[in-house]
Amino acid sequence: MTHPIVLTVNGDPTSVEIAPDESLLHVLRERLQLTGTKEGCDEGECGACTVLVDGRAVVSCLVLAATVAGRRVTTIEGLAGPGALHPVQEAFIRGNGTQCGICTPGMVMSAVALLAANPSPTEAEVREAIAGNLCRCTGYTTIVESIMAAAGTMEGGTMTITAQKRASLIGTSVTRLDATEKVTGKGLYGGDQQVQGMLYGRVFRSTIPHALIRRLDVSRARALPGVKAVITANNVPAVRYGGAVEDEVVFARDRVRYFGEAIAAVAATSERIAEEAVGLIDVDYDPLPILNDIEEALADGAPLVHPEWQTYRTHPALRRDGNIVAHAQITRGDVETAFGHADRVFEHTFDTHSVHQGYIEPRSGVAWVDASGRVTVSSSTQNPFNLRTALAKVLQLPLNKVRVRSTFVGGGFGGKLDLGCEHFIALLALETGRPVRLVWTREEEMIAAAPRMAARITVKTGVMNDGTIIARQTRVHLNAGAYGGDSCAIASVAALMGAGPYRIDHVDLHGYAVYTNRCNAGAYRGPGGPQTLFGVESQMDIIAAELGIDPLDLRLRNIVGDGDLGPSGQVLGHVGLEAAIRSTVERIGYRERDRRPGRGMGLACGWWTTTTGSASAYVKLNEDGTIGLITGATEIGTGALQAGVAQILAEEMGVPMSDLVLVTSDTDGTPYDFGAQGSRTLYNVGSAARLAAQDCKRQIFDFVANEFGCAAAALELVDGRIQPVGDPGTGMTLAEVGLATLWKGGYITGRGSFLATPAEFDGSTVHGMLYPVFNEPTFYCHAAEVEVDDLTGEVRPLRYVATHDVGRAINPEGVNGQTRGGVTQGIGYALSEEIVYEGGVVRNPNLTDYKMPTAMDVPNVEALFVEAGSNEGPYGAKGVGEPSVVPAGAVLANAVAEATGVRIQRLPLTAERVLGALGSATKPAS
Amino acid sequence: MSFAYHAPSSVDDALEMLGSLGAGAQILAGGTDVIVQYHCRQIAPEHLIYLGALDGELRGVSANGAIRVGALTTHRDLATDPILRRESRGLVEAAAQVGGWQIQNVGTIGGNICNASPAADLPPSLLVADATLMLRDRTGERTLPLAEFFLGRRATARRPEEMLTAVQFQRIADNTGQVYLKVGRRRAMEIAIVGMAMRLVFDERMRTVLDARIAVCAAAPSPFRAAEAERRLVGTQLEGSVLAEAGRLAVAAASPIDDIRASAAYRRRIIESLVARAAEACRRRAAGGN
């Protein structure tokens, strides 16, 4: 039952029919189509839905629409007139205050409310005012700076514009091309889409972790008026799918293997009916024993999570055994003998926990089927081409019958690489013949998405008394959950990370992915890295203390440099590690650090990869000289595409970035890309775009050469004009060429396809490795200073400095933004975030008790970079996206150890855990 | 699944509705607890009575003799109120630590009290102020000490037909120091693992404690006063041994549980430690420090 209310929305008196229990957020988004107000959690915890009611910031998900009758509501759409921007929006654009953009409208609204009440806030006041707005990309620094800058301009000052004309765009900080879409809320994310005739999907999930399904009855749900389809394993093709091992199913048929596993899905005419229908599905279970963690899964006589595991199709390199779904190994030299020769041998075990990527936009999308049976999925995926392959398998359709395109992606961090909502909506659309939209609830995100897996890391290291490491053996057991998923490849990464960034002649490095009754883990930024490095770099500090060597000196003695070998025998080049270490320790003042009790400094260093995979691009010359880029790559907020690749293209074509248009991430409309994963976009897509631009330019030059009867080599492209070298003002402009070719020679399109030269490694060293070598390795060193409260155990990071060797920084502020955001996620991982499992059940499936850092919890991360060049990255660039999240666990554990004298070998370093360790240890003499 | 929505335009209308609808009615003030509970299906009211139109009567802080805080005064109002900054510093600090600003802008003191969450931030500071509640129904008004209001987790002495209209407490004496300390995993958007309010009154030489009040939340089904610990502090000069003993007495008054946020053992341990930290803050503030 609905009733009308009248309210003022963005200055306009608005009459709208509402249900009594409908939220203001729902009214704005679904009834008034004001989707600039974003939805992140629907529980008042993320702030994405912040709007102003009578000038005050509120979370519109917790405001009943009925209560705003007669009031003034201002949304992001109402801040400025058409085509205009509010000073806060302008400041966010100029100040790099937006990355993925999902938090941006809410953040802007909080800022507008703050500045109305307090026109010149301090930094602390800004942080307090936006503490209710979670951001997962930026680390908050640029947001705070943008708000402070806006305060300056709104008080009558002027903003400094730093984008002065430079000789080259490469190495210049630029404004990303999609910034305006994001600060205005106009960018459409998965759940913002509304399609005519659309139904609403909802998934029915298991409520116990491991059981046989004795009876499943969906008849009451099907009978509910408004329900258009209820599908189960009986209604979908009986296929198993997956990456390295095809062990997964869309719906559990006779057995559920984790709490939250999908059993059925509903499509209905409203979200409310879909939710009600799910509540009418009846299922009876015969519970089975629960394997909650690695130890239980590996115990003698443990039941098998997949009794039929031997029947599954797998990647040929995969080594499996029962509950071990992947065993990756690198062996070089002879560790056992070397341990015998070592002066000291250390062995320690570390434990880490499961965490969520924490993207603010839940997995979401719309699917529809055209009259010929072709399925289109439009979702916030990071990886449309991979998704198309998976969907084709699930739907049993050829690739030309499946189209996937990405919407704006409200944070992914690896959590939106694989099938999320897409298989459900595609199947429901096929079943009903109508478009179907599905937005995961926050609870589903926490129980059934693709979290970073918990792990147990054992590190055994043989060293000489002078600190030289001669042997290293690691065993990293990853809690993969109920299906292999990405864990099979991540086991390889865990092996590759085992040696740390050190020169070690004898290594025996193992990564295991282990089936348990948890939801299958996935690829969260730097997958396998944070777990392994927590063990490896914590142990470095333990060894340093035992040998009486400063942790920094121990590292400097052992780090790799140019010409050294990586663990699987690759010869390393362009190694910027020592430079990164020196940059970090100098900035933080490591040698002169404050040694008072309760204060401590810790550091860690490591390496990472720049993933390869095919990238491709077309570049077209428009008739007015503007340039179009068409690529299957996906922008997920990093700016790799909307800033970095665009810069490379603009540089190659000699045009300003404002002359570009980018068409991206559509499996039918754009050429292939391996997806926004593995820190690969700038490197690979940048290379493809560069090749396409060069191809386009070659055709342009040939055309002009032909027109002027000269050699193409005698021409140059300067400021949009192709002219004989040294003869400015002659020749033809890009616009003239673009127009002329329509009727002479034909329209010009450049084509670029890039696949990096495979990194060489010693094949005899690797066993069961799906990912045997790090392509174009990157290096980094982080350090932090912390204060530990000896009464509560609370750890407060006071400073955090991170230096990355990025090869070449194409967009320096973009690089720094990646670093700050990754570090902030790392701080959350190290100190506060944890998906808590008890008996296979998630105890905190919400953002109230899953604690992501707010603006008040993190310091201004000091992001630095060094540039050691690369083998074949564009302009010497390497990957940037992932590694900044990797070291924080070790960095902060090392800092806490120095502050307290207590070594904690388990994450997260919660106040309770730290205080417990303090209580059980003898206080160090200070 | 839904409810009938009512938005009375006066306190009297609201009381009439409460009187006639009785236990099937849920009062909605800011909604930051009620709406969450409704979404989670912890409550399923037949009627929702929204009090937003009563702002004029029930919102604001006044000081005619006693301090009176209207039930619809928001957390943000409390956090920025100049009278309260002097008279109940702990209440100001507590309000500033509820959720984020978006929650503080709508959440009310009345809702925070009547929701009776064990972890609610405001009650400890009101308990140390010996606050009383003004509860009204259509037949009249009664006052009830806040300490007698909480009957357990999410249970109060409010009768279904009653509405909380105001909270009252006396002005502070000279040489008083007050504080609210909250321990959580984050510095914002937190539900307290433990919260402690303290109010100490010193002699004019700022040495001896004349009066001591300690209240704790998130460590029992309801917020409580640690009376034994208070008594231990009175007449002392907050010597280390006194504070340690008071800490142990405060722990003895608690009955914390293990939950997702912390263990009972951890809660006990920090209650013990916080007594000394809070006492130091009170002494500093009583002497004019921050």
Side-chain angles (χ1 to χ4, degrees):
Chain A
M1 222 187 63
T2 61
H3 67 276
I5 59 164
V6 177
L7 66 163
T8 303
V9 179
N10 297 329
D12 295 330
T14 305
S15 177
V16 60
E17 286 282 326
I18 62 161
D21 61 351
E22 194 168 343
S23 69
L24 174 59
L25 174 64
H26 193 264
V27 168
L28 291 172
R29 287 174 56 82
E30 303 299 328
R31 297 193 189 269
L32 302 177
Q33 276 82 49
L34 293 171
T35 51
T37 302
K38 304 304 180 187
E39 178 170 5
C41 68
D42 212 25
E43 55 189 16
E45 294 288 343
C46 78
C49 67
T50 301
V51 301
L52 309 186
V53 174
D54 292 339
R56 290 179 306 159
V58 303
V59 277
S60 57
C61 68
L62 292 189
V63 172
L64 278 189
T67 66
V68 298
R71 295 180 189 247
R72 284 181 300 116
V73 175
T74 309
T75 70
I76 190 82
E77 290 91 346
L79 285 186
L85 293 171
H86 187 279
V88 171
Q89 292 171 310
E90 285 182 1
F92 270 65
I93 292 174
R94 290 185 184 155
N96 288 298
T98 184
Q99 286 190 22
C100 86
I102 193 74
C103 78
T104 308
M107 203 65 91
V108 167
M109 298 313 287
S110 283
V112 167
L114 166 69
L115 296 181
N118 179 1
S120 44
T122 62
E123 182 191 328
E125 286 168 341
V126 171
R127 286 184 177 270
E128 190 183 335
I130 63 168
N133 295 80
L134 294 178
C135 168
R136 202 58 169 167
C137 294
T138 64
Y140 299 106
T141 296
T142 53
I143 291 174
V144 173
E145 288 170 355
S146 297
I147 296 170
M148 306 278 287
T153 49
M154 289 167 71
E155 280 200 317
T158 54
M159 197 176 296
T160 335
I161 299 169
T162 50
Q164 66 266 59
K165 177 85 174 156
R166 282 260 311 254
S168 170
L169 274 171
I170 305 303
T172 304
S173 293
V174 301
T175 297
R176 51 189 304 148
L177 295 178
D178 57 0
T180 305
E181 297 299 310
K182 289 174 172 174
V183 302
T184 55
K186 290 215 169 97
L188 290 184
Y189 297 78
D192 294 342
Q193 302 176 98
Q194 299 189 4
V195 179
Q196 207 167 17
M198 178 172 87
L199 300 173
Y200 301 83
R202 187 99 177 184
V203 179
F204 174 74
R205 297 179 179 279
S206 76
T207 52
I208 60 173
H210 197 195
L212 296 176
I213 297 174
R214 192 169 40 179
R215 186 183 69 95
L216 174 63
D217 182 356
V218 299
S219 57
R220 288 200 300 149
R222 279 210 177 108
L224 186 70
V227 171
K228 298 298 176 188
V230 181
I231 56 173
T232 70
N234 290 327
N235 307 96
V236 303
V239 288
R240 286 193 182 272
Y241 64 92
V245 52
E246 295 188 345
D247 57 359
E248 201 162 354
V249 289
V250 175
F251 297 116
R253 181 182 295 275
D254 47 15
R255 174 191 285 257
V256 293
R257 291 180 171 85
Y258 68 91
F259 170 74
E261 183 162 9
I263 297 173
V266 172
T269 51
S270 75
E271 289 160 298
R272 200 180 285 253
I273 293 170
E275 185 183 348
E276 197 182 336
V278 160
L280 295 174
I281 294 175
D282 298 309
V283 60
D284 293 334
Y285 300 106
D286 285 328
L288 294 169
I290 298 158
L291 299 174
N292 188 48
D293 58 32
I294 297 155
E295 279 185 345
E296 290 171 5
L298 296 180
D300 286 341
L304 293 172
V305 176
H306 292 266
E308 64 281 51
W309 67 276
Q310 283 167 307
T311 67
Y312 296 159
R313 282 175 26 145
T314 69
H315 187 290
L318 197 63
R319 289 197 302 184
R320 298 182 302 153
D321 184 14
N323 284 336
I324 295 176
V325 62
H327 175 198
Q329 180 182 354
I330 304 170
T331 301
R332 193 161 53 80
D334 177 357
V335 283
E336 289 308 330
T337 304
F339 284 141
H341 293 152
D343 289 332
R344 306 280 299 272
V345 176
F346 297 93
E347 183 168 353
H348 297 91
T349 295
F350 303 84
D351 287 286
T352 69
H353 55 306
S354 181
V355 290
H356 191 277
Q357 290 83 354
Y359 39 78
I360 303 300
E361 179 212 21
R363 295 161 165 217
S364 47
V366 181
W368 60 89
V369 183
D370 68 18
S372 65
R374 211 169 67 107
V375 178
T376 297
V377 168
S378 178
S379 72
S380 55
T381 175
Q382 299 176 232
N383 198 355
F385 287 86
N386 172 61
L387 208 61
R388 179 176 64 164
T389 307
L391 274 175
K393 171 113 189 169
V394 165
L395 305 176
Q396 295 284 287
L397 290 172
L399 294 187
N400 69 333
K401 293 290 187 189
V402 181
R403 175 189 182 195
V404 179
R405 64 181 207 201
S406 298
T407 61
F408 276 64
V409 182
F413 314 107
K416 296 173 181 169
L417 288 168
D418 302 311
L419 290 173
C421 64
E422 293 85 0
H423 47 331
F424 300 125
I425 52 180
L427 288 162
L428 287 168
L430 281 164
E431 185 76 11
T432 60
R434 287 172 66 173
V436 179
R437 187 177 81 187
L438 176 61
V439 179
W440 280 40
T441 65
R442 191 49 66 173
E443 182 179 7
E444 287 178 294
E445 283 288 349
M446 301 312 295
I447 67 173
R452 177 184 297 154
M453 65 288 278
R456 168 158 287 190
I457 306 102
T458 300
V459 188
K460 185 176 178 184
T461 306
V463 294
M464 306 312 289
N465 283 329
D466 68 358
T468 306
I469 302 172
I470 62 167
R472 163 73 54 81
Q473 185 173 56
T474 54
R475 296 187 190 282
V476 181
H477 286 92
L478 305 168
N479 187 334
Y483 299 95
D486 298 316
S487 300
C488 299
I490 297 171
S492 298
V493 177
L496 282 162
M497 292 294 285
Y502 303 117
R503 206 170 42 225
I504 308 177
D505 290 337
H506 303 278
V507 294
D508 182 38
L509 311 169
H510 299 260
Y512 304 86
V514 182
Y515 281 136
T516 61
N517 294 117
R518 291 189 180 190
C519 90
N520 29 323
Y524 173 9
R525 197 174 195 168
Q531 303 96 319
T532 310
L533 208 72
F534 171 59
V536 166
E537 284 293 275
S538 290
Q539 198 201 37
M540 285 298 278
D541 273 36
I542 297 173
I543 293 171
E546 288 286 329
L547 297 182
I549 300 175
D550 186 272
L552 171 59
D553 295 323
L554 180 67
R555 288 177 172 84
L556 289 173
R557 173 173 288 277
N558 289 287
I559 52 173
V560 290
D562 287 347
D564 287 331
L565 297 184
S568 56
Q570 76 183 120
V571 180
L572 300 171
H574 301 287
V575 178
L577 180 54
E578 184 173 349
I581 293 174
R582 296 203 184 279
S583 158
T584 291
V585 299
E586 273 165 35
R587 168 62 80 96
I588 204 164
Y590 180 81
R591 298 280 190 198
E592 312 83 44
R593 63 193 185 274
D594 187 347
R595 300 301 297 265
R596 83 180 94 151
R599 283 280 178 97
M601 201 176 273
L603 55 84
C605 54
W607 73 322
W608 193 249
T609 180
T610 310
T611 296
T612 61
S614 275
S616 52
Y618 299 133
V619 169
K620 22 177 231 171
L621 174 64
N622 291 330
E623 305 91 285
D624 64 351
T626 59
I627 303 293
L629 174 72
I630 306 172
T631 173
T634 304
E635 172 62 61
I636 59 170
T638 65
L641 202 50
Q642 294 284 342
V645 172
Q647 271 173 279
I648 290 168
L649 175 60
E651 177 77 7
E652 282 296 329
M653 297 304 299
V655 301
M657 284 176 66
S658 55
D659 278 5
L660 304 181
V661 59
L662 271 53
V663 175
T664 65
S665 45
D666 179 337
T667 57
D668 281 358
T670 62
Y672 182 86
D673 185 70
F674 189 54
Q677 57 178 327
S679 307
R680 65 174 291 282
T681 297
L682 179 81
Y683 184 96
N684 295 278
V685 183
S687 295
R690 196 177 183 195
L691 290 171
Q694 287 166 352
D695 184 30
C696 182
K697 237 166 42 175
R698 185 184 51 72
Q699 296 174 56
I700 293 168
F701 276 47
D702 285 350
F703 180 86
V704 176
N706 192 45
E707 288 293 290
F708 285 81
C710 64
L715 298 171
E716 60 181 356
L717 173 55
V718 178
D719 290 339
R721 178 177 286 277
I722 301 90
Q723 60 199 24
V725 175
D727 196 1
T730 62
M732 296 176 77
T733 64
L734 286 172
E736 287 163 351
V737 176
L739 193 59
T741 54
L742 292 185
W743 298 103
K744 187 172 179 187
Y747 187 71
I748 287 179
T749 305
R751 191 182 68 84
S753 189
F754 180 78
L755 181 59
T757 311
E760 288 184 14
F761 63 100
D762 179 351
S764 70
T765 64
V766 300
H767 313 278
M769 295 278 288
L770 303 182
Y771 200 113
V773 62
F774 279 177
N775 182 69
E776 201 79 82
T778 60
F779 301 88
Y780 46 84
C781 176
H782 291 195
E785 182 174 27
V786 303
E787 188 172 66
V788 178
D789 184 330
D790 62 350
L791 294 187
T792 63
E794 214 177 338
V795 177
R796 180 166 203 193
L798 302 173
R799 286 186 70 194
Y800 198 111
V801 176
T803 308
H804 285 255
D805 165 24
V806 299
R808 175 87 192 273
I810 303 292
N811 177 22
E813 270 312 305
V815 168
N816 293 339
Q818 286 304 288
T819 301
R820 293 192 200 100
V823 166
T824 299
Q825 285 180 317
I827 291 173
Y829 178 61
L831 300 184
S832 61
E833 296 173 35
E834 179 172 17
I835 299 176
V836 180
Y837 273 92
E838 277 176 25
V841 175
V842 176
R843 294 295 312 280
N844 56 338
N846 53 64
L847 295 189
T848 310
D849 285 310
Y850 184 81
K851 312 272 190 186
M852 295 193 273
T854 73
M856 292 176 74
D857 294 299
V858 285
N860 276 314
V861 175
E862 297 163 66
L864 304 166
F865 54 79
V866 295
E867 300 179 304
S870 66
N871 288 322
E872 55 180 347
Y875 302 95
K878 304 184 203 176
V880 172
E882 293 171 290
S884 50
V885 82
V886 173
V891 169
L892 293 170
N894 289 342
V896 167
E898 183 170 283
T900 64
V902 171
R903 167 63 52 183
I904 299 174
Q905 291 171 222
R906 178 184 289 270
L907 294 177
L909 306 166
T910 60
E912 176 162 4
R913 181 163 289 144
V914 171
L915 193 68
L918 287 176
S920 63
T922 320
K923 280 282 188 82
S926 51
Chain B
M1 241 169 83
S2 190
F3 42 73
Y5 174 81
H6 311 274
S9 54
S10 71
V11 173
D12 288 342
D13 284 354
L15 295 175
E16 274 305 315
M17 279 179 198
L18 276 173
S20 58
L21 297 173
Q26 168 71 50
I27 292 175
L28 178 71
T32 56
D33 288 315
V34 167
I35 299 301
V36 173
Q37 289 160 13
Y38 177 74
H39 284 168
C40 297
R41 305 190 176 184
Q42 292 167 4
I43 58 171
E46 291 166 45
H47 297 273
L48 201 67
I49 301 177
Y50 175 58
L51 305 184
L54 315 185
D55 262 12
E57 292 172 80
L58 297 184
R59 181 173 171 187
V61 179
S62 60
N64 304 318
I67 309 296
R68 183 187 171 92
V69 182
L72 293 182
T73 308
T74 67
H75 299 305
R76 200 78 214 120
D77 295 339
L78 299 174
T80 54
D81 189 88
I83 297 171
L84 293 177
R85 188 165 174 78
R86 186 190 128 72
E87 299 294 338
S88 184
R89 179 78 177 274
L91 188 62
V92 168
E93 285 176 322
Q97 292 182 72
V98 176
W101 276 25
Q102 297 99 318
I103 299 295
Q104 293 169 22
N105 274 332
V106 290
T108 65
I109 187 171
N112 198 258
I113 293 169
C114 291
N115 184 53
S117 160
D121 283 305
L122 304 190
S125 299
L126 295 168
L127 285 171
V128 299
D130 277 338
T132 55
L133 304 183
M134 319 300 286
L135 292 160
R136 206 185 299 174
D137 65 19
R138 53 187 168 180
T139 65
E141 186 169 75
R142 64 170 175 145
T143 61
L144 187 71
L146 178 63
E148 293 171 27
F149 184 70
F150 296 114
L151 302 180
R153 182 179 176 276
R154 299 260 171 93
T156 72
R158 186 182 71 84
R159 295 192 278 265
E161 67 276 15
E162 279 182 324
M163 184 164 82
L164 172 66
T165 55
V167 185
Q168 271 185 203
F169 48 89
Q170 299 303 312
R171 285 177 176 276
I172 53 169
D174 289 343
N175 304 325
T176 297
Q178 308 183 71
V179 72
Y180 177 67
L181 298 178
K182 177 175 180 174
V183 175
R185 203 176 277 197
R186 293 183 292 195
R187 286 167 191 277
M189 299 302 288
E190 271 302 81
I191 294 170
I193 287 174
V194 163
M196 179 181 290
M198 190 180 288
R199 168 188 282 205
L200 298 182
V201 182
F202 293 85
D203 66 3
E204 58 268 27
R205 291 179 11 202
M206 299 305 301
R207 302 234 326 241
T208 305
V209 175
L210 301 181
D211 184 36
R213 298 174 192 180
I214 304 169
V216 181
C217 68
S222 299
F224 63 90
R225 285 272 293 268
E228 293 290 326
E230 293 174 350
R231 276 194 282 280
R232 186 64 191 88
L233 296 183
V234 174
T236 73
Q237 297 186 3
L238 300 179
E239 297 83 353
S241 59
V242 169
L243 291 171
E245 206 180 319
R248 287 191 290 274
L249 291 167
V251 173
S255 52
I257 57 167
D258 293 322
D259 66 13
I260 187 78
R261 292 170 194 130
S263 69
Y266 178 69
R267 290 187 159 103
R268 286 198 189 90
R269 199 161 161 193
I270 52 179
I271 290 168
E272 189 172 344
S273 306
L274 284 182
V275 168
R277 180 167 289 179
E280 281 310 318
C282 289
R283 173 149 63 187
R284 194 172 64 242
R285 287 174 175 182
N290 190 25

